[in-house]
Amino acid sequence: MIATHPLVLSVEQTYAALIDQLDTAAAMRTVPGQPRKGFENADHFLAAASRHLNTIESVLLPVAQKQLSDDQDLVHDYVRASKDLEAALVIAKGREYGSAYAVSMRWEDVWATVRKGLDDLRRRELELAAALEPRLDETALDGLVGRMHRFEPNAPSRPHPHAPHLGLLGHLSRRFLHAVDSFWDTAEGRMVPERERPPHKEPGPMGQYLLGDPRFDEDD
């Protein structure tokens, strides 16, 4: 599919990054003397996937429910696929941290289930994006993508397939789960990367004056 609008392009770029992270996590490279190091990439992928799912449900789906009122099957199909992927992510996390119900599963089978869920959700998300694009102008599409990027760092970092996904209950549960996930990520020493921030623009002459930090060009 050729991305002609920012929403489809954002979806394609996001899933390309998630697939790369999944490939790296599935490699399960170990580091001598650092038994947890091999799971760092798995932590990164699980957090990134969970944050993206919660971002779509918080930002994109409310717009889709309003704009696609004549085709709500697209929204419901996405939610079903999202829950399926979250269930697979729960198993992967349980396998990583030694959960009794997942410890006997082979990693190859765990990652294969996650990959299938990710592929299915990518297809559903592209369908949503393609259906929304004709109904929103370029400014609205740019604003939607911007809100998604701003929301993602504050989205829950763990999968919660049984939590509410839509409506006010979904919104409130994600706010609560973000705080809970942050606590447990710290308690477990889980490797959850932060989004890279763009570099700050150097202050101009007036800014340097106000900051009391003048800078002079050595060639002057």
Side-chain angles (χ1 to χ4, degrees), residues 18-172:
L18 287 174
I19 291 169
D20 284 344
Q21 287 181 296
L22 174 57
D23 290 340
T24 302
M28 302 295 288
R29 295 183 178 87
T30 59
V31 178
Q34 300 182 56
R36 281 291 308 159
K37 192 69 175 177
F39 292 111
E40 184 174 320
N41 292 323
D43 282 337
H44 288 183
F45 166 73
L46 292 172
S50 297
R51 282 175 167 170
H52 178 67
L53 294 177
N54 284 285
T55 296
I56 294 301
E57 290 169 358
S58 291
V59 182
L60 182 64
L61 291 193
V63 177
Q65 286 180 298
K66 180 179 179 180
Q67 296 293 331
L68 304 175
S69 58
D70 57 335
D71 194 2
Q72 288 296 295
D73 285 346
L74 287 175
V75 174
H76 296 312
D77 288 345
Y78 177 90
V79 172
R80 281 195 294 269
S82 175
K83 290 180 179 180
D84 289 344
L85 177 57
E86 284 185 290
L89 296 177
V90 167
I91 293 173
K93 184 179 180 299
R95 178 67 178 82
E96 177 186 356
Y97 284 86
S99 174
Y101 72 85
V103 70
S104 62
M105 299 183 67
R106 298 191 314 155
W107 270 114
E108 292 84 354
D109 296 334
V110 171
W111 291 128
T113 303
V114 171
R115 190 178 300 277
K116 180 182 182 303
L118 191 66
D119 288 342
D120 289 345
L121 195 67
R122 173 183 174 276
R123 179 167 58 85
R124 297 297 184 186
E125 199 167 317
L126 284 171
E127 289 175 351
L128 271 176
L132 275 173
E133 282 181 350
R135 312 208 182 188
L136 298 172
D137 60 28
E138 291 291 335
T139 300
L141 286 168
D142 286 335
L144 181 59
V145 172
R147 291 198 302 276
M148 288 163 57
H149 282 283
R150 289 192 298 273
F151 182 88
E152 189 170 316
N154 300 314
S157 58
R158 295 167 178 238
H160 300 282
H162 302 298
H165 284 65
L166 298 174
L168 179 60
L169 283 179
H171 173 71
L172 293 176

Side-chain angles (χ1 to χ4, degrees), residues 169-207:
L169 283 179
H171 173 71
L172 293 176
S173 70
R174 279 185 287 275
R175 292 185 62 179
F176 171 74
L177 291 170
H178 169 63
V180 173
D181 288 355
S182 296
F183 171 80
W184 283 112
D185 287 343
T186 300
E188 292 181 350
R190 189 165 176 246
M191 305 296 181
V192 179
E194 297 294 332
R195 176 188 288 275
E196 293 185 6
R197 298 180 181 274
H200 291 289
K201 182 179 179 181
E202 293 292 338
M206 180 58 72

